[in-house]
Amino acid sequence: MRPLSLLIKPASGLCNMRCRYCFYADVAEHRETASYGIMTEDCAEDMIRRAFEYASGPVTFAFQGGEPTLAGIGYYRAFVDAVDRLNEKKLPVSYAMQTNGYELSDELCALLRDRRFLVGVSLDGQAAVHDAARIDAAGEGTFKRVNRSIAKLREYGIEFNILAVVTNAAAKNISSIYAYLRSRGYPCVQFIKHVDGFGDADDPSVWSLTPERYTNFLKTAFGYYYDDILAERYMSVREFDNFIMLAVGRDAECCGMNGVCPANLVIEADGGAYPCDFYVLDEWRMGNIRENSVEELLCSDAAARFRKRSFKIDEKCRTCRYFALCRGGCARHREPDGPDGLALNKYCESYREFFRWAEPKIAKLADMARKGQIRRKS
C-alpha cells in the first residue's frame, strides 16, 4: 500500500499579511521566480491525476502558502470535484489547510466543513505577542481578525489546531503564552521554532531564537504540559507529543524529528515539485508534477541529494545519551552544510540540557502513553 501526501501552494507566496518573520518571503527572495501566482485549475487537475496514478493507499491534499485562501473558493470547489472524479480506485482522501486566519468566508467555511478539512490557524498567543509580528499590509495587528476566524471555525464545527511561532521574545514569555492558549480551550497547539533566513547566521534578526531562550521555552512549556497531563487537562503540543512517541519506540509523525529528511512532495503554483517546505528553491527543484510522475520526482537527482545531505551523524550525536529522542533535528537548524552533509544542530545544547532535566518526566509520560492514560478531562 502506497499512501501519498502532497503539500500544495495554490497561491505561491502571495499573502494578505506581512508577518515580520515570514520564512517563505525569505525563500521567495532566494529563487529566480519569487511568485508563481495562482495555480490554474488545469495544473491542479494534472496534479490530482498524478497523485491517484501513484497512490494505492490514503491520499492527503494539504494547502499552505503564502496564504492558500487567496486561491479563492472557485479553486477549491473545482479541486474537490476533480478529486471525486479522478479517484477511480476509491482511495481514502483527507484534506488540510494552514491559514493565517485573516479572512475566512462563509462559502469557504462551508466547504471546509463539508469536506472535513483539518485547519491550522496561526496565532502566536495573546494580543500583545501576536500583534508584535503578525501584521497586515497596512501595518496593523491582526489578533482580532484571527480570533473572529477562529470563532467562525468553531461555529461551523470545523476541526482546527493552533500554530504558534516561537521567536526569541515568545520564548522569554512562554508562561503567559501557554496559559493564554490553554485558557482558550484549544485541543492542539504546534509551537514552531523561528526559522532564520538563508544567510542570517552571521547577522540574525531580532526574531531569531537563541539556544538559551529555546532551553527556557522547552523547560517551561514542557513543565506545564506535564502537569496538565497529570491533572487530566491535556492540551496536545505537537513537539512534546512526538518526544513521547519516540520514547515508546515509535517514529515521530513530524518529519523534522526523525533525523533523516524524507524528500516530501511540495507543489508550487506552477506545478514545480520540491522536497521540503523550507527548501522551495531552484537548486532543490525535483521537476514538475505536470511533466513528471510521482515516481520520477521522488527518484530525481535533487531528491536523492536532499536525502543524502541529512544522513551525516555528527560525532557528538553518536555518543549522546539523548540521540534517540533528538535524532539530530530539522535540516534548517543544521546549516550551513559541508561537503559531507549537514552540521550539528544549532539547538544541540538546548536539547541536551532539556532532556537531562525532563528525562524522568518523559519516562513517566511514555509509561502512561503505553497504558492509554493520557487523556483530556471531559
Side-chain angles (χ1 to χ4, degrees):
M1 184 173 71
R2 293 196 300 193
L4 181 65
S5 180
L6 298 176
L7 180 60
I8 305 157
K9 294 183 173 291
S12 192
L14 300 175
C15 193
N16 45 14
M17 286 174 52
R18 300 294 183 270
C19 300
R20 301 182 193 278
Y21 51 55
C22 179
F23 86 87
Y24 206 69
D26 178 73
V27 168
E29 290 176 359
H30 285 83
R31 63 191 188 201
E32 186 173 340
T33 302
S35 174
Y36 293 98
I38 303 294
M39 180 180 285
T40 66
E41 292 182 13
D42 286 345
C43 179
E45 186 159 322
D46 287 344
M47 174 179 59
I48 294 165
R49 184 177 292 107
R50 293 284 194 186
F52 287 127
E53 287 173 352
Y54 172 86
S56 58
V59 178
T60 299
F61 297 105
F63 301 91
Q64 199 174 17
E67 175 48 38
T69 62
L70 295 180
I73 185 62
Y75 170 86
Y76 289 102
R77 284 174 175 161
F79 193 100
V80 297
D81 287 346
V83 168
D84 292 344
R85 177 165 37 86
L86 296 171
N87 186 10
E88 297 177 353
K89 290 180 276 189
K90 305 301 179 185
L91 300 176
V93 172
S94 58
Y95 297 101
M97 176 184 288
Q98 182 174 328
T99 175
N100 60 27
Y102 188 76
E103 185 171 4
L104 295 179
S105 69
D106 288 308
E107 289 180 308
L108 180 59
C109 284
L111 183 144
L112 298 176
R113 176 198 62 205
D114 295 344
R115 293 296 180 144
R116 302 172 70 92
F117 272 65
L118 171 62
V119 178
V121 184
S122 294
L123 177 70
D124 283 355
Q126 59 271 51
V129 174
H130 180 94
D131 286 346
R134 302 192 68 82
I135 58 176
D136 63 18
E140 299 296 325
T142 59
F143 178 81
K144 291 182 179 178
R145 292 192 68 128
V146 173
N147 273 280
R148 285 198 293 268
S149 292
I150 291 172
K152 184 175 284 191
L153 292 172
R154 282 176 158 158
E155 175 188 345
Y156 275 84
I158 298 165
E159 185 180 358
F160 71 93
N161 53 40
I162 297 297
L163 311 172
V165 175
V166 183
T167 62
N168 216 40
K172 182 180 180 181
N173 296 289
I174 187 56
S175 290
S176 62
I177 293 170
Y178 198 102
Y180 170 77
L181 296 174
R182 183 177 56 194
S183 74
R184 302 291 292 173
Y186 299 133
C188 182
V189 173
Q190 181 180 350
F191 289 110
I192 304 169
K193 290 191 291 294
H194 172 271
V195 176
D196 289 334
F198 293 106
D200 281 359
D202 297 327
D203 186 23
S205 76
V206 67
W207 308 102
S208 184
L209 179 62
T210 65
E212 294 77 17
R213 285 279 174 84
Y214 188 52
T215 303
N216 176 72
F217 163 81
L218 286 170
K219 288 184 175 181
T220 304
F222 190 85
Y224 291 130
Y225 170 85
Y226 177 79
D227 290 344
D228 285 349
I229 289 177
L230 297 189
E232 295 188 359
R233 59 186 184 206
Y234 166 59
M235 179 177 76
S236 170
V237 176
R238 190 183 187 197
E239 184 173 21
F240 300 156
D241 288 349
N242 275 263
F243 287 150
I244 307 308
M245 292 169 68
L246 290 166
V248 299
R250 296 169 55 192
D251 282 338
E253 53 80 31
C254 181
C255 71
M257 297 180 70
N258 280 318
V260 176
C261 296
N264 298 303
L265 279 177
V266 180
I267 310 298
E268 252 288 2
D270 68 332
Y274 304 82
C276 175
D277 189 34
F278 289 147
Y279 293 94
V280 186
L281 300 167
D282 297 336
E283 66 180 297
W284 297 114
R285 189 177 175 100
M286 301 186 296
N288 192 295
I289 196 74
R290 307 191 73 178
E291 302 164 1
N292 304 105
S293 68
V294 170
E295 289 96 335
E296 289 171 338
L297 296 173
L298 295 177
C299 294
S300 65
D301 289 343
R305 285 189 292 110
F306 189 77
R307 286 188 288 263
K308 183 178 179 181
R309 72 198 283 264
S310 69
F311 292 168
K312 177 186 175 183
I313 301 177
D314 192 279
E315 287 304 314
K316 191 172 183 178
C317 296
R318 291 183 188 277
T319 58
C320 179
R321 173 184 178 87
Y322 306 111
F323 182 69
L325 294 176
C326 170
R327 301 194 182 183
C330 175
R332 276 304 296 266
H333 303 299
R334 294 176 60 193
E335 296 175 334
D337 54 333
D340 59 342
L342 292 163
L344 184 68
N345 194 304
K346 171 183 177 180
Y347 299 107
C348 171
E349 290 306 318
S350 301
Y351 284 121
R352 286 166 66 91
E353 184 173 340
F354 166 68
F355 287 129
R356 278 195 295 268
W357 172 83
E359 187 171 12
K361 294 179 173 63
I362 291 174
K364 181 175 179 62
L365 294 185
D367 184 60
M368 291 177 65
R370 293 187 190 97
K371 297 174 181 176
Q373 295 175 343
I374 297 180
R375 53 185 178 268
R376 291 179 61 84
K377 183 179 291 185
S378 57

